[in-house]
Amino acid sequence: MEIVYILIVLAIFLLPSLLMMRSQKKRQRQMQEMQRSIAPGDRIVNVAGFHCTVVENNGETLQVELAPNVVATMETAGVMKRVDPQGSTQADVPTDTE
């Protein structure tokens, strides 16, 4: 009878952790797909909050234009989201409520 209680307690603590890990992996996979799909001309927001335009995609690095004639190099992993031409952000990565 004690083994049943131990199994119930383990299930109570392990099940939420397993579900959270699964959803985190899903979000991470979607983020990586979005980062890989970035092409020249896309407007992005990096993790520092800078809005910029992609000039060139070199796989692991991006050449981005921060201001007219100001081009910088950044890591592809630093892209937080893509912005559509109208200025609103696309929902490439789901929020925790989805």
Side-chain angles (χ1 to χ4, degrees):
M1 194 64 162
E2 291 180 19
I3 193 87
V4 173
Y5 291 124
I6 292 173
L7 290 174
I8 291 172
V9 169
L10 286 175
I12 289 173
F13 287 107
L14 291 179
L15 189 61
S17 298
L18 293 173
L19 293 174
M20 286 176 25
M21 284 191 299
R22 182 175 177 260
S23 65
Q24 176 63 26
K25 285 182 182 181
K26 181 180 176 183
R27 280 193 303 271
Q28 184 178 14
R29 185 176 51 250
Q30 288 176 334
M31 179 68 87
Q32 288 172 344
E33 288 174 7
M34 183 269 302
Q35 290 170 344
R36 273 183 255 154
S37 71
I38 293 173
D42 287 349
R43 297 270 307 151
I44 61 168
V45 178
N46 67 12
V47 294
F50 289 109
H51 291 246
C52 38
T53 304
V54 177
V55 176
E56 184 179 342
N57 185 343
N58 299 321
E60 290 295 316
T61 60
L62 298 171
Q63 296 287 324
V64 295
E65 185 175 42
L66 298 170
N69 300 319
V70 178
V71 178
T73 303
M74 67 175 278
E75 294 289 321
T76 304
V79 177
M80 185 170 63
K81 58 188 166 186
R82 184 182 296 145
V83 180
D84 68 9
Q86 289 79 24
S88 63
T89 58
Q90 292 181 355
D92 286 329
V93 179
T95 60
D96 291 334
T97 58
E98 289 183 357

